[in-house]
Amino acid sequence: MFPNRQSLAMPPQGLPLSRMAPLGMLLGLLIASCFTFCLSHQNPEFALTNTEKSSTKETERKETTAEEELDPEVLEVFHPTHEWEPLRPGQAVPAGSHVRLNLQTGAREVKLQDEDKFRNNLKGSKKGKRLNINTNTYTSQDLKSALAKFKEGVETETSKEDKARQAEVKRLFRPIEELKKDFEELNVVIESDMQIMVRLINKFNSSSSSLEEKIAALFDLEYYVHQMDNAQDLFSFGGLQVVINGLNSTEPLVKEYAAFVLGAAFSSNPKVQVEAIEGGALQKLLVILATEQPLTAKKKVLFALCSLLRHFPYAQQQFLKLGGLQVLRSLVQEKGTEVLAVRVVTLLYDLVTEKMFAEEEAKLTREMSPEKLQQYRQVHLLPGLREQGWCEITAHLLALPEHDAREKVLQTLGALLATCRDRFRQDPQLSRMLASLQAEYQALATLELQDGEDEGYFRELLGSINSLLKELR
């Protein structure tokens, strides 16, 4: 087909060289064109065609083929049932169907899944159908009636459940009336707090009761009168006066536990406080503190006195009239009564600050009743403390070794500062004591700072001492 290379390379004889050059070029072009034509037919990769257009056409052809395969009009759709049925070639089955190969016949078989029973009813929705929900179909009256019927159904269900639960409760538990009858047959009585307190008062007031029984009755009674209502019930049936009369007993234990009950009943209970004043409790408490009694008894009596005086200005007036400050001064100056001295100083601090706060509250809020404010103004406590020498007594209590006792004494000195300033300045023992405490608490506060405590206990005490020294200069 093609001339060999040797014949093409050698020029024909008889032709001049000037005519052979164009002829060679023509033959070269012819050979190159033939070579390119052969390559394009043998390997499509070297074909001189537009690859972009070819790939686009190929993609369109594939998409068209896929659409034809997916088109339900092209393939015959087989609708399976819940039994195995043979599938013919060319038939399409819905997605999710069970398909198997029967090894005996060699045919493919198909059936629906069990959970697809309900899907068979939704063939129309797969073709684009949707539920037509019209929100304007129901009126407000229809909705109300439907809601009423719903509630009736719920109430019916609830009532049935309640009845069933009540029947179960009746089966498991017995009524309280039946239990009371059974307890009465067993000599067991269910008592209320009121009935228990009446029984305890009767036990305490009975002449046939022993000392141990009386003390046990008072001990149990103290537990109940902590509750405000029970304490008011105590005086409603006369039990409070019976306990107050117990302060006259010759037995120190009876005095001690009677005062224990009264202190619990007086605490933050104005009605009981008024009844106690009218029943003579204040006089009896002061008599016990002024006479020789065991220390434990005086502790309980002082507790009852503090509960009676706090937040009760009328009782504070009567306390001053009956010489209560003199009684407390004698109590503090006794030997071995340091514990009582700290409690007395704490009581005086509370009474002084209580009156100050009452005056400030009346000025700022005007919510306090005029009668109560007038009662506080009739309590001349600070002048009585100055006259009875409490400025010096309180200052000398700084010699107590306990830090807690010193803290309370320092608080009381600050409360008495306006009344006792000149007395404090004239007392050399107070100056020496404050200087000694300043050095002691300075060292303790430094240790607190080294331990990382910026606001320690000793630092606060040191601040109180520095403030007091500054006021006395």
Side-chain angles (χ1 to χ4, degrees), residues 7 60 96 102 123 173 231 239 305 324 340 353 384 399 406 425:
S7 63
E60 291 178 354
N102 194 328
K123 292 179 179 179
F173 304 99
L305 179 65
L340 299 180
T353 54
R406 292 173 181 176
R425 288 176 176 174

Side-chain angles (χ1 to χ4, degrees), residues 142-416:
D142 294 336
L143 295 175
K144 288 180 180 179
S145 61
L147 181 60
K149 292 180 180 179
F150 175 75
K151 289 183 177 179
E152 290 177 1
V154 173
E155 290 176 357
T156 303
E157 294 290 336
T158 305
S159 61
K160 292 180 180 179
E161 293 177 359
D162 291 341
K163 290 180 180 179
R165 184 166 55 252
Q166 291 175 3
E168 183 67 15
V169 170
K170 288 181 179 180
R171 187 181 67 83
L172 296 176
F173 304 99
R174 300 169 58 191
I176 187 64
E177 290 77 11
E178 295 182 7
L179 293 176
K180 286 184 177 180
K181 291 179 181 179
D182 292 343
F183 284 140
E184 288 176 0
E185 294 176 359
L186 297 173
N187 294 326
V188 177
V189 180
I190 299 177
E191 296 177 307
S192 64
D193 289 355
M194 180 78 163
Q195 293 172 334
I196 293 174
M197 290 191 297
V198 171
R199 179 172 55 81
L200 293 174
I201 287 294
N202 291 334
K203 176 67 69 174
F204 169 71
N205 201 32
S206 176
S207 59
S208 61
S209 299
S210 63
L211 178 61
E212 289 77 11
E213 291 175 340
K214 291 184 177 182
I215 299 303
L218 290 174
F219 184 82
D220 293 339
L221 186 62
E222 189 271 340
Y223 169 79
Y224 288 96
V225 297
H226 274 286
Q227 188 174 350
M228 182 178 294
D229 295 338
N230 288 341
Q232 295 177 6
D233 290 339
L234 182 65
F235 76 79
S236 67
F237 67 85
L240 182 65
Q241 189 61 50
V242 173
V243 179
I244 292 174
N245 294 336
L247 296 174
N248 295 329
S249 175
T250 56
E251 293 289 342
L253 280 176
V254 175
K255 294 179 180 179
E256 177 181 346
Y257 281 91
F260 191 37
V261 174
L262 293 175
F266 296 160
S267 183
S268 302
N269 205 329
K271 292 183 179 180
V272 181
Q273 288 175 324
V274 172
E275 293 293 331
I277 287 292
E278 294 179 355
L282 180 60
Q283 295 90 327
K284 292 178 173 60
L285 293 173
L286 290 177
V287 168
I288 296 175
L289 292 176
T291 57
E292 186 176 353
Q293 300 291 337
L295 183 61
T296 55
K298 288 191 175 183
K299 284 182 180 180
K300 296 294 192 299
V301 171
L302 185 59
F303 163 65
L305 179 65
C306 294
S307 299
L308 181 60
L309 295 181
R310 285 190 175 97
H311 305 289
F312 192 11
Y314 178 76
Q316 297 174 18
Q317 295 177 33
Q318 300 302 313
F319 169 76
L320 295 177
K321 291 179 180 179
L322 294 173
L325 289 179
Q326 294 91 324
V327 173
L328 295 182
R329 182 183 62 184
S330 301
L331 183 65
V332 169
Q333 292 177 342
E334 291 181 8
K335 293 183 179 181
T337 60
E338 289 80 5
V339 176
L340 299 180
V342 175
R343 297 185 181 184
V344 169
V345 168
T346 304
L347 172 63
L348 297 178
Y349 171 78
D350 292 341
L351 297 181
V352 171
T353 54
E354 181 183 318
K355 182 180 179 181
M356 293 171 56
F357 290 153
E359 293 283 354
E360 293 178 0
E361 182 182 359
K363 292 179 181 178
L364 294 176
T365 63
R366 297 182 181 179
E367 293 180 356
M368 183 173 294
S369 63
E371 182 181 356
K372 191 170 185 179
L373 179 61
Q374 187 63 28
Q375 291 178 1
Y376 271 116
R377 289 176 177 174
Q378 293 177 3
V379 179
H380 304 293
L381 180 60
L382 287 174
L385 291 173
R386 181 182 174 90
E387 293 174 2
Q388 297 294 328
W390 280 98
C391 299
E392 294 78 9
I393 294 172
T394 308
H396 295 166
L397 289 176
L398 278 176
L400 292 173
E402 293 82 8
H403 298 300
D404 181 65
R406 292 173 181 176
E407 179 186 10
K408 294 176 180 177
V409 172
L410 286 171
Q411 290 177 347
T412 308
L413 290 176
L416 298 176

Side-chain angles (χ1 to χ4, degrees), residues 2 13 41 51 201 243 281 323 364 411 439 450:
F2 298 100
Q13 296 179 359
H41 279 77
T51 57
I201 287 294
V243 179
L364 294 176
Q411 290 177 347
Q450 292 177 356

